[in-house]
Amino acid sequence: MKPVSDPGGEVERLLAESRGEVLAFVRRRACRSVLRMESAEDLVQDISARILERGLDPRLADDRARRAWLLRVADNFLKDRRDHWSALKRGGSRVLRLSLAGEDAAEGSSLRELATSVTGPSTFAVRREQVSIAALALDMLLPRDRELIEGLCEGIALHEQAARLGLSYDAAQRARQRAVERLQRTFRLALRTRG
C-alpha cells in the first residue's frame, strides 16, 4: 500500500497524543500469546506504521472520532497478530521436531527425553513453551527459508517446491537443508534468550 500524504501532520499529531492510550489498549487487549512473542511497545510501533500507511479517514470530523478509529485499527491489528502467531503454532509441533532434530541439538535432547518419559502439567507447559519458541524461530527466518520449512512440515514434495521457487531439484534440496540448519540455529538462540 502506498503511504498517504499528510500535509497538515494530523496523523503524526494524533499518534503522538494517543501513544499512551494506544499502549494501554494494547497491554489490556492483546492476548498473552501475542505479548509473549512481541512487546507491547513493538506492537504500538507496528500499529503506528499501519496508520501512517493508511492515513486518516477524511470522514472523521473530530478528535474523539479519530481516537475511536485509531483504537479500531489497533484492535484489528492485534487480531491479525494473534491469527499470525496461531497459524504458526498450529504447525508448531512439526517445526519443533525439525528444530530439535540433529546431533548438535543437545539442548533439545534432554527435553525430548523428558517429554517421552514424563507426563503431566509441567511437561505440557514445557512443550507449549517449546512450540512457541519454534514458531518464533520460524517467523524470524527469511521468507524463502520459511517457505521451504513450511513446505517440508506440510509434506509438500521437494520437486513441487523446486518448481515454485524456480530451482533445480538439487538446488532446492540444498536450500531446504540450509533452511533447516538456520531454523535449528535460530531456535537454539531463541531458546537461550528465553531461558
Side-chain angles (χ1 to χ4, degrees), residues 30-187:
C31 61
R32 281 184 297 183
S33 62
V34 171
L35 288 175
R36 284 178 49 219
M37 306 305 255
E38 300 178 77
S39 73
E41 290 79 12
D42 287 344
L43 291 166
V44 170
Q45 283 297 109
D46 291 340
I47 290 165
S48 297
R50 181 176 279 190
I51 289 169
L52 286 169
E53 271 182 5
R54 291 183 179 181
L56 280 176
D57 186 338
R59 296 171 291 180
L60 301 173
D62 60 9
D63 274 354
R64 184 176 171 176
R66 290 176 179 168
R67 279 191 159 73
W69 170 80
L70 178 75
L71 294 179
R72 277 194 310 277
V73 171
D75 193 41
N76 288 333
F77 182 82
L78 292 175
K79 288 175 186 172
D80 289 348
R81 295 312 293 166
R82 185 191 64 231
D83 293 346
H84 169 79
W85 290 114
S86 293
L88 284 176
K89 283 184 187 177
R90 275 194 295 276
S93 296
R94 293 182 298 260
V95 174
L96 179 59
R97 282 193 295 277
L98 280 175
S99 300
L100 295 174
E103 299 170 40
D104 59 338
E107 297 154 17
S109 62
S110 61
L111 292 168
R112 270 196 307 267
E113 291 167 13
L114 173 68
T116 58
S117 64
V118 179
T119 59
S122 63
T123 305
F124 296 131
V126 168
R127 187 167 189 297
R128 273 194 308 276
E129 179 67 15
Q130 293 285 314
V131 169
S132 292
I133 293 171
L136 179 62
L138 180 63
D139 191 55
M140 291 168 53
L141 293 177
L142 293 171
R144 185 172 107 164
D145 287 346
R146 190 178 319 122
E147 184 178 344
L148 286 163
I149 296 295
E150 288 171 345
L152 179 61
C153 290
E154 293 169 7
I156 297 174
L158 186 57
H159 70 276
E160 288 180 40
Q161 281 195 300
R164 282 186 200 168
L165 296 170
L167 300 172
S168 70
Y169 183 86
D170 291 337
Q173 192 172 30
R174 286 189 302 273
R176 181 189 273 183
Q177 182 58 41
R178 285 191 303 269
V180 168
E181 290 166 2
R182 286 186 192 109
L183 174 68
Q184 291 169 348
R185 284 193 307 268
T186 305
F187 177 79

